[in-house]
Amino acid sequence: MRAVDLIIKKRDKLALTNDELEFLVQGYTQGTIPDYQMAAFAMAVTLNGMTHQETTDLTMAMAHSGEILDLSQAAPIVVDKHSTGGVGDKTTLTVAPLVAACGLPVGKMSGRGLGFSGGTIDKLESIPGIKLDLTTEEFIRQLKEIGIVLTGQSADLAPADGKLYALRDVTGTVESIPLIASSIMSKKIAAGAHAIVLDVKVGKGAFMPTLEKARELAEEMVAIGELSGRRVIAVLSPMDQPLGNAVGNALELREAVEMLHGVGPEDYRYHCLHLAAYMLILGQKAPDIETGLAMAERARQDGSGLQKFRELVIAQHGDVSTIDNLDELPKAKFIELVLAEKSGWVNSVNAREVGETSVQLGAGREKKGDPIDPAVGIMVYAKIGDQVQAGQTVFEIHANDYEKLIQAKERLKKAIEITQDRVERPPYFHGVIGL
Ligand code: URA
């Protein structure tokens, strides 16, 4: 078999077989197929698409390019969750402990921030000392012992995706539904979860700008789940404005832990409780959404979710005093308010602008490997549908660099739109697929 013939086949809009896709993935992982051929293949897929069968075969070939974890030794059903990425999305930090507190083990490998969207691992790193590079043995042992693990993505899992993702990032081939679906699902399958709740974000602050595209991606991933023997459901959630109030690593960690104390923004509370409920349904702990919601809410109210989070921090060598006293988390030198310039109704709060401004303050990376500043970020105090008065605080900027603070202030003034006409609040969810 020759890579060039397979590129030509995809260029001519023909479907590739399982053997052909395995040949490409194995060759690329081992280095016998060079970047330029894989880039040509990725572009042909981006332009011509793939059938469900091809996407599933590509996913399984990438999942099998490295180790596949078997979590059955840790628990009969392990449920994972995955967000396609958004601004202010600290959901895992609240949901994983709530679900684990309900007796369903959660073992999750998370990523770092990507572009304007944040990553769970960067947020957790705000806790001094926390270990986020667990070995497979440590992962399984902790999952068995305390029923919750949050760690970084192991390089041994789906290495083909790691390589291909970096190539796609620089060849204009990120925004392809079969490539995104196979990238996400190969990592989830390799990480060993028996069931997966996907949080597919749609809107200005998401990879998928329209509901139609988000639905297509969600359906593709649910179909891959079915064909690979995993139970998968996908929630479609809006990402035109940031989720909750906090954007930035320590600020988000604080909001996530406060939610475990029982307080926090309503959109974030609703989102967390529903995702937890769907995980409990897939994990066969709750027969229906009402029961799942009640279980998750109980774990929030009675402090058992918070206790699970503390257990996780202690097991992973983090300084738990920062969780017990959130004022000990890293703090920025400067705090500056952005005020509403007029009275009216909030019509938009551009999630992408807020995310990019937060990255510019130092909360994310401009390029791979850059250090990040856990203390900086933005608190968003006005949400779509809120009525605001001129002079009311709409954003609070946390910065460590005065120049960057001034730039952020100018950007944020333009990131919010206030109109005279009443604006309805957006829905918290656009739908669920696969339930
Ligand atoms: N997240 C991933 O893991 N892969 C993609 O291709 C896009 C988002």
Side-chain angles (χ1 to χ4, degrees):
M1 225 180 273
R2 294 190 319 158
V4 62
D5 297 325
L6 307 184
I7 297 167
I8 290 169
K9 199 168 168 188
K10 187 67 347 217
R11 182 201 68 190
D12 293 344
K13 301 191 171 73
L14 298 170
L16 299 179
T17 66
N18 186 33
D19 285 353
E20 289 168 337
L21 288 162
E22 270 181 6
F23 171 82
L24 279 173
V25 170
Q26 273 172 21
Y28 187 52
T29 314
Q30 289 157 8
T32 52
I33 294 179
D35 274 350
Y36 57 82
Q37 284 190 310
M38 206 57 184
F41 168 72
M43 184 55 83
V45 173
T46 302
L47 297 175
N48 295 334
M50 276 184 150
T51 64
H52 284 314
Q53 190 58 52
E54 279 181 293
T55 310
T56 304
D57 291 344
L58 177 64
T59 306
M60 295 315 280
M62 293 211 293
H64 284 98
S65 65
E67 198 186 339
I68 302 253
L69 290 191
D70 177 9
L71 298 184
S72 307
Q73 36 176 324
I77 306 183
V78 179
V79 183
D80 200 349
K81 82 161 266 291
H82 182 87
S83 156
T84 57
V87 178
D89 186 7
K90 70 284 300 173
T91 311
T92 294
L93 299 173
T94 299
V95 165
L98 288 180
V99 170
C102 294
L104 180 65
V106 182
K108 179 159 167 49
M109 296 200 184
S110 294
R112 294 194 178 274
L114 189 68
F116 59 87
S117 74
T120 302
I121 294 303
D122 291 335
K123 293 168 202 179
L124 275 172
E125 258 175 9
S126 311
I127 303 170
I130 194 158
K131 186 169 161 24
L132 297 165
D133 57 352
L134 303 187
T135 62
T136 305
E137 292 71 38
E138 288 168 332
F139 183 94
I140 291 175
R141 191 180 333 119
Q142 187 175 319
L143 191 59
K144 269 188 196 161
E145 281 172 10
I146 63 168
I148 184 166
V149 196
L150 296 177
T151 186
Q153 182 75 32
S154 155
D156 301 335
L157 299 184
D161 175 62
K163 242 182 130 177
L164 182 57
Y165 192 86
L167 188 68
R168 287 168 54 213
D169 206 17
V170 291
T171 54
T173 52
V174 170
E175 280 94 354
S176 149
I177 288 179
L179 293 182
I180 296 177
S182 54
S183 164
I184 292 174
M185 292 303 289
S186 63
K187 283 179 287 217
K188 296 287 116 186
I189 290 168
H194 304 113
I196 305 152
V197 176
L198 297 166
D199 184 6
V200 179
K201 304 288 191 191
V202 50
K204 289 192 193 84
F207 279 122
M208 294 291 119
T210 65
L211 192 52
E212 191 196 347
K213 287 273 167 214
R215 198 179 292 280
E216 207 181 316
L217 175 64
E219 281 169 356
E220 189 69 69
M221 292 194 285
V222 170
I224 294 171
E226 253 164 42
L227 288 165
S228 68
R230 273 25 176 220
R231 180 87 204 280
V232 178
I233 64 169
V235 171
L236 296 167
S237 46
M239 188 35 78
D240 282 313
Q241 62 179 346
L243 180 63
N245 298 137
V247 178
N249 299 293
L251 295 174
E252 290 189 46
L253 181 77
R254 183 184 185 112
E255 187 163 87
V257 175
E258 282 174 349
M259 188 54 75
L260 292 170
H261 280 285
V263 285
E266 182 50 25
D267 63 333
Y268 183 53
R269 188 188 75 89
Y270 184 99
H271 189 76
C272 288
L273 291 180
H274 279 77
L275 281 191
Y278 290 126
M279 289 175 78
L280 291 167
I281 292 173
L282 288 198
Q284 295 174 12
K285 293 282 176 196
D288 51 44
I289 186 80
E290 287 74 26
T291 315
L293 286 171
M295 287 170 75
E297 180 62 8
R298 200 173 323 116
R300 200 174 74 98
Q301 299 277 346
D302 68 10
S304 55
L306 179 62
Q307 187 49 28
K308 260 298 157 214
F309 192 69
R310 293 183 78 259
E311 284 176 39
L312 165 99
V313 172
I314 294 167
Q316 294 183 209
H317 311 287
D319 179 358
V320 81
S321 72
T322 50
I323 302 307
D324 295 337
N325 179 7
L326 293 169
D327 286 335
E328 283 185 19
L329 283 169
K331 279 211 189 71
K333 266 195 288 199
F334 307 110
I335 295 185
E336 175 89 11
L337 305 180
V338 179
L339 307 179
E341 290 177 346
K342 56 182 176 186
S343 300
W345 300 86
V346 179
N347 191 38
S348 76
V349 182
N350 188 321
R352 190 168 184 137
E353 264 304 292
V354 174
E356 282 176 357
T357 307
S358 175
V359 170
Q360 211 180 7
L361 284 167
R365 298 176 183 79
E366 304 278 350
K367 57 183 188 321
K368 207 174 158 217
D370 277 353
I372 58 159
D373 184 344
V376 301
I378 298 157
M379 295 300 292
V380 181
Y381 286 128
K383 307 288 296 253
I384 299 172
D386 284 355
Q387 191 175 17
V388 292
Q389 302 300 323
Q392 182 180 327
T393 302
V394 287
F395 297 111
E396 184 183 85
I397 306 169
H398 292 236
N400 272 328
D401 177 309
Y402 194 70
E403 285 280 295
K404 289 183 179 170
L405 170 70
I406 300 302
Q407 286 164 4
K409 197 166 178 180
E410 286 314 305
R411 264 186 104 161
L412 288 176
K413 278 184 195 165
K414 296 188 206 114
I416 182 165
E417 193 197 336
I418 298 171
T419 61
Q420 297 314 309
D421 300 328
R422 192 192 173 103
V423 178
E424 291 303 317
R425 286 185 201 287
Y428 290 145
F429 281 131
H430 291 304
V432 183
I433 289 167
L435 193 62

